[in-house]
Amino acid sequence: MGSGLFEGRLNNCFIQLLTPIFDPQFSEASYGFRPGRKAHDAVRKARQYVEEGYEWAVDLDIEKFFAGVMINGVVIETAEGTPQGGPLSPLLANILLDDLDKELEKRGHRFVRYADDCNIYVKSKRAGERVMANIRKFLQERLKLKVNEQKSAVDRPWKLKFLGFSMHKAKGGKILIRLAPQTIERVKEKIRGITDRNKPISMAERIERLSSYLGGWMGYFTLAETLSVFKELEGWMRRRLRMCLWKQWKRVRTRYRELRALGLPEWVIHEMANARRGPWRMAHGPMNRALGNAYWRTQGLMSLTERYQSLRQAW
């Protein structure tokens, strides 16, 4: 047995022994890496506090704690610090940060913590700044930990990111969970890489990679209550795939053959086959209508909106 495998099994044994001892003592506001608790629970609790009128958040990020955590196949970026790589790390982190949780409870704060990502909810910016200063001092003096000033802030919850999500205050004051702008940009960057028209890979492989990645991504981010964002993302992704197809159809005769196979009128085929516009522009208009949802479904591409609706119905 290799040393790494032995160490992993030993760590698992420690977890099985220590978790029943320490976990019952942890705060109700701690959600990371605990039995029966998940990131979605933390985000829902945060939304509850905002609904109750605590519309300012102290977004506290502890420096050099975790390299990152994976939830449902999606890496949620954090910092780095406790012994990394092993399954024992999250438990040790929760043991250390339990002192922070107890301090926040003692002060009567409403807060949610997942690993090193802690949000405290207050009713004014002034209160938030005061809390930030006090907790920064507590972390430095009592726990010898440093706040990551670049990633920490006092702001409205809809301007902050928590576990990949943010919030939206709709008309009438209803608080909705939405995708954080950084989350949208990150998934777009991944899709851009797979749909790079200069990558010499087949369409079947592109679709397989997209479906594999987006399956896990949707499983986590379906918590967001803004279907329109998923529709927009899906339309953008399909346009990029059409762009890749057009790039593959370099020759005019290839374009004639492929466009005829789509059943387009001959005058449309002639106009498109001889067009001098670039692949991104050609991916719009008639090509959009010819290669719509039904076409991509037959190619095996997962529909984000259909996946979203089926997952939410199953909850």
Side-chain angles (χ1 to χ4, degrees):
M1 182 185 295
S3 60
L5 181 60
F6 176 77
E7 183 179 345
R9 289 186 177 180
L10 184 62
N11 281 342
N12 282 327
C13 289
F14 275 122
I15 288 174
Q16 292 174 13
L17 288 170
L18 296 176
T19 296
I21 298 172
F22 287 100
D23 192 79
Q25 304 173 42
F26 290 154
S27 167
E28 284 295 309
S30 170
Y31 291 86
F33 312 104
R34 296 184 60 193
R37 288 169 167 256
K38 54 188 179 181
H40 284 184
D41 298 329
V43 176
R44 289 189 181 104
K45 190 66 176 179
R47 191 254 296 274
Q48 179 188 321
Y49 287 141
V50 178
E51 288 175 331
E52 292 172 355
Y54 295 85
E55 295 189 350
W56 286 87
V58 180
D59 184 6
L60 199 65
D61 189 277
I62 302 170
E63 197 170 82
K64 297 182 182 296
F65 215 77
F66 282 110
V69 299
M70 181 168 285
I71 307 168
N72 281 31
V74 181
V75 175
I76 307 298
E77 291 184 358
T78 57
E80 55 181 74
T82 58
Q84 295 173 29
L88 192 57
S89 305
L91 178 60
L92 294 176
N94 277 335
I95 292 172
L96 174 61
L97 291 179
D98 188 56
D99 284 348
L100 170 62
D101 297 340
K102 295 297 191 289
E103 182 67 19
L104 292 172
E105 288 177 339
K106 186 173 73 174
R107 299 184 185 201
H109 290 308
R110 288 158 177 79
F111 70 99
V112 179
R113 182 177 65 78
Y114 194 102
D116 61 336
D117 201 349
C118 181
N119 278 13
I120 308 164
Y121 295 89
V122 296
K123 290 195 171 183
S124 70
K125 184 177 181 180
R126 185 177 178 181
E129 291 171 343
R130 184 173 62 249
V131 169
M132 174 71 86
N134 291 338
I135 298 305
R136 182 192 292 114
K137 182 179 180 182
F138 172 82
L139 287 169
Q140 291 175 347
E141 295 182 357
R142 289 278 298 276
L143 301 184
K144 309 303 178 185
L145 294 173
K146 188 178 179 182
V147 171
N148 186 328
E149 301 293 347
Q150 289 185 334
K151 293 185 177 181
S152 300
V154 176
D155 212 331
R156 296 290 196 179
W158 36 91
K159 293 184 178 180
L160 298 172
K161 174 174 70 73
F162 183 53
L163 298 177
F165 296 96
S166 187
M167 297 185 199
H168 171 65
K169 191 172 185 179
K171 290 182 179 179
K174 186 176 182 181
I175 305 298
L176 300 175
I177 297 169
R178 66 181 177 95
L179 298 179
Q182 300 94 319
T183 296
I184 297 173
E185 186 51 44
R186 193 171 296 123
V187 71
K188 278 190 167 185
E189 192 61 34
K190 182 71 174 181
I191 293 172
R192 282 189 192 99
I194 298 173
T195 59
D196 183 345
R197 68 193 187 199
N198 296 315
K199 273 190 176 178
I201 60 175
S202 68
M203 183 58 65
E205 186 174 349
R206 291 184 199 273
I207 289 174
E208 183 180 353
R209 290 185 187 181
L210 284 171
S211 296
S212 175
Y213 173 74
L214 292 171
W217 188 86
M218 287 297 298
Y220 178 68
F221 285 109
T222 295
L223 181 66
E225 299 166 309
T226 47
L227 177 59
S228 60
V229 175
F230 292 99
K231 284 183 178 178
E232 183 179 339
L233 182 63
E234 183 175 11
W236 175 81
M237 176 177 67
R238 287 199 307 265
R239 185 175 178 181
R240 288 194 62 85
L241 289 172
R242 292 193 301 271
M243 174 189 69
C244 292
L245 270 183
W246 191 257
K247 178 73 184 297
Q248 291 174 9
W249 302 347
K250 291 181 180 180
R251 298 174 181 270
V252 172
R253 65 182 181 184
T254 303
R255 295 174 183 174
Y256 269 103
R257 184 184 69 246
E258 297 293 345
L259 292 169
R260 283 187 178 122
L262 294 174
L264 295 175
E266 195 64 27
W267 70 269
V268 174
I269 293 171
H270 178 74
E271 186 177 286
M272 291 181 66
N274 291 282
R276 296 183 178 276
R277 295 190 295 273
W280 179 246
R281 290 186 64 192
M282 290 303 300
H284 196 48
M287 200 172 178
N288 180 22
R289 293 189 291 273
L291 300 176
N293 291 0
Y295 172 84
W296 293 112
R297 193 178 295 112
T298 64
Q299 302 303 306
L301 181 67
M302 179 178 55
S303 167
L304 300 188
T305 52
E306 290 176 6
R307 178 70 171 159
Y308 175 87
Q309 290 165 338
S310 66
L311 285 171
R312 290 190 69 90
Q313 286 172 3
W315 287 356

